[in-house]
Amino acid sequence: MVHIVPPMSCHGNNATPPGPAVAPGVDNIDPAAIARETARRGMHPRLAHALPAFDAPFFQAGLAGYSDAAMRIIARRHGAPLCVTEALLDRMLLGGGRGFDKADLAHQDDQLLADNLPCGHEDHPLVGQIIGGDPDEMAAAALKMIEQGQRHDKDYRKIAYGDGELPHYVDTRWAIACESEDALASASDDTAEPTPPPAPTPPRAPAASPTNRSFATIDVNLACPVKKIDRKNRGGHWLRDPQGAIDILKAVRAAVPPEIPCTVKLRRAYDDTPEMARNFEHIFAATFELGYLWATVHARTVEQKYIGPSRWDILKDIVARHPQAVVFGSGDIWQVHDIFRMIGYTGVAGVSVARGCIGNPWIFRQARQMMAGESPTAPTLDEQRDVLEQHFRLCVALNGERAAGKLMRKFGIKFSHHHPQGEAVRARMIAVNRTDDWLSVLHEFYPSPDRAETSQTTAAAR
Ligand SMILES: Cc1cc2nc3c(=O)[nH]c(=O)nc-3n(C[C@H](O)[C@H](O)[C@H](O)COP(=O)(O)O)c2cc1C
């Protein structure tokens, strides 16, 4: 039986339109100066060591329903140095569903896309995010994430369906470290002698290679505000149960091979009570005691969901009180200047770009331009058409042509903001249902130079 693995839906229909964060005094910050300073300083040494390819302090966030391989590849082509998968539910993963296929261009025959395997040379480094309600299941799901590249699922099954014990050590190093298909073949040979594990700390992931097929880090989601299902805590709801959250963090860290970093995404608190602030501190401290590489803090409460401003002032305080911790910030990153405002204001080591990059991959190019001391440039119409076409091709490869039109609708609506006739494009995008509808909006509003030339010639001939 094939189980469909939907991404964990981490959003409702309550997301607010762009607004500023709570950050008194942020207007005194000059984003251009911070961008140059950020480039001069380089990445946090622990990140530079663990993930050398993560070479700029921002990344594409996990965005359920959006951040599939197609969106990620587009972001990377525009300068995103790191991406996060949407949150994948532990039980669904263990159910052997198609969650990975959905994010895996490998299951398609399209040769043009053969080089675009997730975790291949374009979609790397990739953070794999899991969410769930039980430590053993989360540990098993973490292993399944790592092992999915090698399609070798014995160890996670031991935990999921066996006696509940974690294996001592699962050698999956080759899955991320192999440099050639030969290494891949010999490592998957069950008769081969296992290589002894390397020194566990500090973790260092290998540079990307076309055969890298695993995840750069395993990210535990303690942030999703969706209400608990099956009476099981999940995501941000763990912030009400710090010991439960810590049990999950422990189990995942123990299961994941030591050379693969673990990371966490959490909200600044469940709600604004002092008890919940204490819970956050407890979980946050345990995260780093357990050896997690970084914590991404979404500066809204779970109760807030996505409504209202995020509290950069509280994020700043968290960073100041934990100078040893690698902290990333999330919340109210709407345009490129916000990336550097957040860094300048809070002191975070990196910024998670979420709603601000849906339909706007150019935010990553602009961030790199600013780090190079240049002014950020808006996308031309040619660039917009090019990206829409690329995104559509990738979406077709992932989902098939029949589904692609409808799926591209939500991206098209967001992309329309850049178009000089934004309102008209938006209205047409909203009505897109099938691939033909999508193509006709593209032809009408984003004419290619060839088509424009042809229609001009035709008009002149008339
Ligand atoms: C539609 C949607 C889906 C999301 N899915 C995820 C997810 O799967 N994993 C995750 O860590 N965060 C998820 N988030 C949260 C974002 O990564 C980010 O933390 C949040 O949107 C705050 O940033 P922003 O205000 O700049 O958008 C999601 C947010 C939205 C709006």
Side-chain angles (χ1 to χ4, degrees):
M1 186 170 92
V2 177
H3 302 261
I4 306 295
V5 178
M8 183 68 190
S9 180
C10 276
H11 59 294
N13 292 324
N14 50 13
T16 41
V22 174
V26 75
D27 292 341
N28 301 326
I29 287 178
D30 173 6
I34 299 290
R36 288 192 300 273
E37 170 61 15
T38 303
R40 195 193 56 72
R41 224 180 20 231
M43 295 297 279
H44 189 291
R46 243 173 284 156
L47 298 174
H49 180 83
L51 291 173
F54 184 12
D55 66 349
F58 45 81
F59 59 96
Q60 183 182 283
L63 284 161
Y66 291 91
S67 59
D68 63 2
M71 183 180 176
R72 297 195 304 263
I73 287 169
I74 295 295
R76 291 179 193 279
R77 288 177 183 171
H78 288 81
L82 180 89
C83 294
V84 184
T85 65
E86 53 200 358
L88 295 164
L89 191 56
D90 56 354
R91 285 202 167 170
M92 299 289 194
L93 286 172
L94 298 173
R98 294 183 55 236
F100 284 123
D101 287 347
K102 177 90 173 67
D104 186 354
L105 294 174
H107 75 292
Q108 298 294 331
D109 294 333
D110 191 336
Q111 284 305 302
L112 286 173
L113 293 165
D115 287 340
N116 291 328
L117 303 173
C119 306
H121 74 273
E122 254 202 295
D123 195 13
H124 188 92
L126 179 61
V127 171
Q129 191 180 79
I130 52 174
I131 187 166
D134 175 83
D136 284 344
E137 284 175 358
M138 283 289 275
L143 285 185
K144 181 156 187 189
M145 292 287 276
I146 294 162
E147 291 170 353
Q148 69 97 21
Q150 64 202 67
R151 309 283 186 217
H152 173 83
D153 61 6
K154 293 176 195 158
D155 292 298
Y156 87 82
R157 282 192 186 282
K158 266 188 224 157
I159 307 176
Y161 308 118
D163 54 12
E165 285 209 353
L166 299 177
H168 295 303
Y169 177 69
V170 184
D171 188 358
T172 51
R173 260 168 306 142
W174 64 271
I176 56 168
C178 60
E179 292 297 326
S180 68
E181 289 298 342
D182 288 344
L184 201 69
S186 70
S188 61
D189 176 359
D190 283 347
T191 60
E193 275 295 306
T195 339
T201 53
R204 182 185 174 104
S209 87
T211 49
N212 276 343
R213 287 190 186 178
S214 197
F215 291 90
T217 86
I218 295 296
D219 197 46
V220 176
N221 184 309
L222 303 179
C224 177
V226 168
K227 284 229 162 61
K228 56 188 178 179
I229 306 164
D230 300 338
R231 281 175 287 151
K232 286 263 189 188
N233 278 332
R234 284 190 185 136
H237 297 267
W238 282 115
L239 293 172
R240 289 190 296 188
D241 175 3
Q243 194 49 52
I246 292 167
D247 289 346
I248 285 200
L249 294 170
K250 247 187 219 161
V252 170
R253 185 56 280 182
V256 171
E259 69 281 1
I260 299 179
C262 289
T263 54
V264 67
K265 163 84 180 281
L266 72 174
R267 298 274 182 148
R268 68 172 173 81
Y270 184 83
D271 59 29
D272 276 316
T273 60
E275 185 197 349
M276 294 301 152
R278 282 195 298 277
N279 285 357
F280 171 88
E281 284 300 319
H282 193 170
I283 298 168
F284 187 83
T287 298
F288 291 98
E289 280 158 21
L290 289 167
Y292 277 60
L293 180 59
W294 73 66
T296 304
V297 179
H298 179 178
R300 291 187 179 87
T301 61
V302 177
E303 248 188 13
Q304 263 184 284
K305 297 182 179 164
Y306 299 96
I307 300 170
S310 63
R311 294 285 302 267
W312 290 10
D313 52 345
I314 293 178
L315 186 57
K316 178 182 179 171
D317 180 56
I318 293 167
V319 174
R321 284 186 294 100
H322 300 277
Q324 301 306 321
V326 180
V327 185
F328 294 160
S330 169
D332 283 329
I333 304 297
W334 300 109
Q335 47 135 325
V336 67
H337 286 175
D338 294 331
I339 295 176
F340 299 107
R341 281 198 193 105
M342 181 188 260
I343 292 176
Y345 188 79
T346 65
V348 290
V351 173
S352 163
V353 186
R355 283 172 289 180
C357 70
I358 301 175
N360 185 21
W362 298 283
I363 194 171
F364 300 112
R365 170 179 84 184
Q366 291 170 335
R368 288 196 183 260
Q369 286 173 324
M370 288 184 69
M371 287 175 70
E374 299 162 13
S375 299
T377 54
T380 63
L381 200 55
D382 281 350
E383 288 170 338
Q384 292 174 44
R385 180 190 56 251
D386 201 34
V387 162
L388 286 164
E389 286 176 354
Q390 286 181 37
H391 200 147
F392 178 67
R393 275 200 299 275
L394 290 163
C395 186
V396 168
L398 273 172
N399 306 291
E401 196 164 333
R402 281 185 69 181
K406 198 164 182 176
L407 287 167
M408 286 303 294
R409 173 172 64 192
K410 62 189 174 190
F411 288 103
I413 292 168
K414 296 285 183 182
F415 274 110
S416 70
H417 296 310
H418 302 280
H419 195 281
Q421 293 161 262
E423 273 311 310
V425 181
R426 184 182 148 80
R428 288 289 306 279
M429 286 290 185
I430 287 171
V432 165
N433 234 325
R434 298 174 327 170
T435 300
D436 287 353
D437 305 329
W438 162 263
L439 290 173
S440 86
V441 184
L442 230 59
H443 288 182
E444 190 177 333
F445 288 97
Y446 299 88
S448 75
D450 296 348
R451 279 201 305 273
E453 239 168 56
T454 315
S455 50
Q456 269 166 24
T457 320
T458 319
R462 266 194 218 121

